[in-house]
Each structure stands twice: as C-alpha cells, then as structure tokens.
C-alpha cells in the first residue's frame, strides 16, 4: 500500500501538468473565434510555409540574445522584454473576450489595457507560483490561439517538426536550452508552469541551488511545451472546416480532438522519462504526439477529410 501511495505522490504532479495542457488547449479553442473576428492573425497568408521558417528564425535570434544577456549579467533586459510580451499578450486576450460584450472599442481598449497592466505589475512585484501559473495559462492560451488562427495545417506541421528537432539538439547536444532555463528561472517569469510538492512551497524563496542528491520542492514545465502542440489543435479546428465537412464533439472537431489526445499521450511518454531524473526535451514527444493524434483524428473524421 505504501508503494502505491509513493507512486501516486510521484506522478500526481505529472497529472496536474497534463491537466494544465488540456486547460490551455480548451481555452485557446474558445479564444480562437473572438480573436479571428478581431483580425488578430499574426500572418497575412496562413498557407505560406515561409511563416514557419520566419517563426523559427525569430526563436533562434531571441534565444541567442537571451544567452548573451545572461552571460553579460544583463538579466534586466530579459525581464523587461518578457514582461512587455506578457502584457501585450494578455491585452489581446482580454480584448478578444471583452469584444463579446456590448461595449465600445475605446472602453474595451481601456479595460483590456488596465487588466493587462495590473497583472503584469502583480507578476513583477509578487511572482509567486500561483500568480505565475495563472498568468501562464492566460498567455499560453492566448499565444496558442493567435498562432493557431494565423497558420494553416501544413505550415504548423512544418513548424512543429522543425521545433522538435531544434529542441532535441538544444537539450541533448548543445545543451544551451538547459543553460537558458537555469539562467532565466531566477527572474521568476511566466515562461514555465510550477507544480509544488507541498502547499508551503514558495517560488519566490526558492534559491534553485540544490546540493547533489537533494530533491527539488516543485516540478517545472516550460510554457512552450503547452503552447506549441496547442497551435495544431487550434489550426485543426479552424482551417479544416474551410475544406471539408467535419464531425464535432461539442465545439471540437475530430482532428482537433485527436490532436489533444495525442498531446497527452506524448506527455505521458515524456513523463515516464522525466521521472527518471534527467532533463528531457519536451517537444519531440509532445509534437510527435499531437501530429500523430491529428492524423488519427482526420482518419476517424471520414475518408473525405483532407490532411491539410
């Protein structure tokens, strides 16, 4: 009985993380409609695979700049940049939600701006784990929805494949992603989700400097691990309907549902390896899972459903 309790205790945080991914995906699907109605697409031509190459280029340049800032002890630049990006993303989320109400554009701008500013200031002044997780859910769902309505299926498939390869190289080969994560963690920004092992845990007071053999008091999952597969979930729910009549469960199409299930299957495989104690690249597992789940959803949806 004690061994069963130990297993449950060890894997409970992983179940919570899987739940967080599902919340991000469902929220992103709900945000897709109002965001599309307000023309919040990031790219003019959603069918262009060049968008994926551009996205990868931006990620590479941004990563390089972050690493340079860390090495030169200029963390304030990272903090300012990410806080501005967080505030802007929350503004778009609140604007999309408030656009569903009967209020003027000016009022919407003011309220959305104030909400985004207040939460960004709260994050800066009090970056406790529950504040970071809450804001992480907002910007995770918002970013996923924006890129999901901006990229059709083929560009997303190209993007996720390239990101999976890049993530594997950066974690297992060059290891610069591990250095980046350790360098940015001290800034206590919503670039990750935090699952404490006990309710007394404080992310603010966590030094992150553990002696060899000493366990961490919380589990961490990068925000990108939730965002990237969710882009395909949203895209599958938005763009395939323009080419075929899809079967739905509620407001979620079969291909999108398959992608969601595939994400969780990939996450389970990732969790098994993570529990062995070594850093793992998340996107090879998550992106492979969401792509295979999407393909399964297309097949279940019917023979007339195109793959992209």
């Amino acid at each position: 009985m004690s061994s069963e309790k130990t297993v449950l205790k060890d894997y409970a945080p992983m179940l919570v993380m899987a739940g967080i991914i599902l919340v991000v995906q469902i929220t992103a699907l709900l945000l897709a409609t109002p965001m599309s109605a307000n023309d919040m697409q990031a790219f003019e031509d959603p069918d262009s695979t060049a968008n994926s190459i551009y996205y990868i280029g931006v990620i590479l340049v941004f990563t390089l700049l972050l690493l340079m800032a860390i090495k030169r002890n200029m963390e304030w630049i990272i903090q300012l940049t990410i806080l501005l990006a967080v505030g802007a993303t929350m503004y778009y989320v609140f604007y999309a939600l408030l656009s569903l109400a009967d209020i003027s554009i000016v009022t919407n701008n003011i309220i959305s701006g104030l909400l985004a500013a207040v939460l960004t200031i709260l994050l800066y002044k009090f970056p406790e784990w529950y504040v970071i997780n809450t804001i992480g859910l907002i910007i995770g769902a918002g970013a996923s929805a924006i890129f999901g309505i901006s990229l059709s299926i083929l560009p997303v498939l190209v993007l996720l494949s390239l990101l999976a390869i890049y993530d594997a190289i950066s974690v297992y080969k060059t290891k610069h992603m591990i250095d980046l994560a350790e360098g940015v963690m001290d800034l206590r920004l919503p670039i990750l989700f935090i699952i404490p092992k006990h309710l007394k845990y404080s992310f603010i007071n966590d030094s992150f400097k553990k002696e060899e053999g000493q366990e961490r008091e919380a589990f961490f999952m990068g925000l990108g691990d939730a965002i990237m597969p969710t882009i395909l979930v949203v895209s599958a729910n938005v763009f395939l309907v323009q080419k075929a009549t899809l079967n739905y469960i509620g407001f979620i199409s079969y291909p999108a549902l398959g992608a969601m299930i595939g994400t969780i299957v990939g996450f389970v495989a990732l969790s098994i390896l993570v529990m062995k104690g070594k850093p793992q690249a998340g996107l090879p597992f998550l992106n492979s899972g969401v792509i295979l789940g999407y393909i399964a959803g297309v097949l279940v949806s019917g023979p007339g459903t195109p793959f992209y």
Side-chain angles (χ1 to χ4, degrees), residues 6-33:
T6 301
V7 171
L8 181 60
K9 181 180 179 180
D10 289 340
Y11 280 91
M14 298 302 174
L15 295 175
V16 175
M17 288 183 183
I20 288 174
I21 292 175
L22 286 175
V23 171
V24 169
Q25 292 186 335
I26 293 172
T27 307
L29 287 170
L30 292 172
L31 286 171
T33 299

Side-chain angles (χ1 to χ4, degrees), residues 79 83-84 86-87 90 113-128 131 135 188-189:
Q79 191 172 40
L83 285 174
L84 289 174
V86 165
M90 286 195 292
L114 284 175
L115 288 173
V118 168
L119 287 178
T120 303
I121 294 171
L122 175 63
L123 174 65
Y124 175 71
K125 293 291 188 179
F126 188 69
E128 195 48 270
V131 175
I135 293 177
R188 291 164 172 81
L189 296 168

Side-chain angles (χ1 to χ4, degrees), residues 1-292:
M1 182 65 70
S2 60
S3 62
E4 292 180 0
K5 288 183 178 180
T6 301
V7 171
L8 181 60
K9 181 180 179 180
D10 289 340
Y11 280 91
M14 298 302 174
L15 295 175
V16 175
M17 288 183 183
I20 288 174
I21 292 175
L22 286 175
V23 171
V24 169
Q25 292 186 335
I26 293 172
T27 307
L29 287 170
L30 292 172
L31 286 171
T33 299
M35 283 187 163
S36 182
N38 284 280
D39 296 324
M40 293 184 178
Q41 293 87 347
F43 304 108
E44 292 184 5
D45 182 7
D47 296 321
S48 174
T49 54
N51 295 331
S52 303
I53 307 301
Y54 173 78
Y55 195 127
I56 294 291
V58 170
I59 291 175
L60 291 175
V61 171
F62 187 64
T63 301
L64 176 62
L65 293 176
L66 291 182
L67 289 170
M68 290 175 59
I70 291 173
K71 289 183 177 181
R72 300 189 179 192
N73 295 319
M74 299 174 67
E75 285 85 356
W76 66 270
I77 295 179
I78 301 173
Q79 191 172 40
L80 177 61
T81 302
I82 293 180
L83 285 174
L84 289 174
V86 165
T89 304
M90 286 195 292
Y91 165 80
Y92 285 121
V93 170
F94 294 136
Y95 189 94
L97 291 174
L98 290 172
S99 68
L100 299 173
D102 187 19
I103 59 175
S104 67
I105 294 177
V106 174
T107 303
N108 193 341
N109 275 313
I110 293 174
I111 297 176
S112 299
L114 284 175
L115 288 173
V118 168
L119 287 178
T120 303
I121 294 171
L122 175 63
L123 174 65
Y124 175 71
K125 293 291 188 179
F126 188 69
E128 195 48 270
W129 63 268
Y130 43 85
V131 175
I132 290 177
N133 284 354
T134 300
I135 293 177
L137 285 171
I138 296 173
I139 63 176
S144 300
I146 290 172
F147 286 104
I149 64 175
S150 303
L151 297 170
S152 62
I153 305 299
L154 184 57
V156 174
L157 294 176
V158 172
L159 174 65
L160 296 188
S161 300
L162 293 176
L163 283 175
I165 296 171
Y166 168 70
D167 197 30
I169 294 173
S170 64
V171 172
Y172 301 129
K173 187 70 175 176
T174 65
K175 301 185 186 300
H176 70 266
M177 193 59 70
I178 297 175
D179 295 336
L180 180 62
E182 292 175 350
V184 174
M185 192 172 287
D186 281 333
L187 298 179
R188 291 164 172 81
L189 296 168
I191 59 169
L192 42 75
F193 290 109
I194 307 150
I195 311 301
K197 294 183 179 180
H198 54 82
L199 294 179
K200 294 182 180 180
Y201 171 76
S202 173
F203 186 63
I204 295 176
N205 298 323
D206 193 334
S207 66
F208 309 114
K209 294 178 175 62
K210 305 298 179 185
E211 297 180 2
E212 187 174 351
Q214 186 177 2
E215 293 186 1
R216 289 193 179 275
E217 297 180 79
F219 288 89
F220 304 97
M221 178 178 69
L223 191 63
D225 290 342
I227 292 176
M228 296 308 168
T230 304
I231 294 175
L232 180 56
V233 173
V234 175
S235 182
N237 213 50
V238 170
F239 287 99
L240 279 188
V241 71
Q242 301 172 6
K243 300 179 180 180
T245 301
L246 302 181
N247 294 313
Y248 283 79
I249 295 179
F251 64 95
I252 303 174
S253 68
Y254 280 12
L257 180 61
M260 294 174 69
I261 295 172
T263 304
I264 300 304
V265 172
F267 180 78
V268 170
L270 172 63
S271 299
I272 293 173
L273 293 178
V274 168
M275 292 304 295
K276 295 182 179 180
K278 293 183 179 180
Q280 299 292 332
L283 294 185
F285 296 91
L286 296 167
N287 289 2
S288 297
V290 73
I291 290 172
L292 292 174

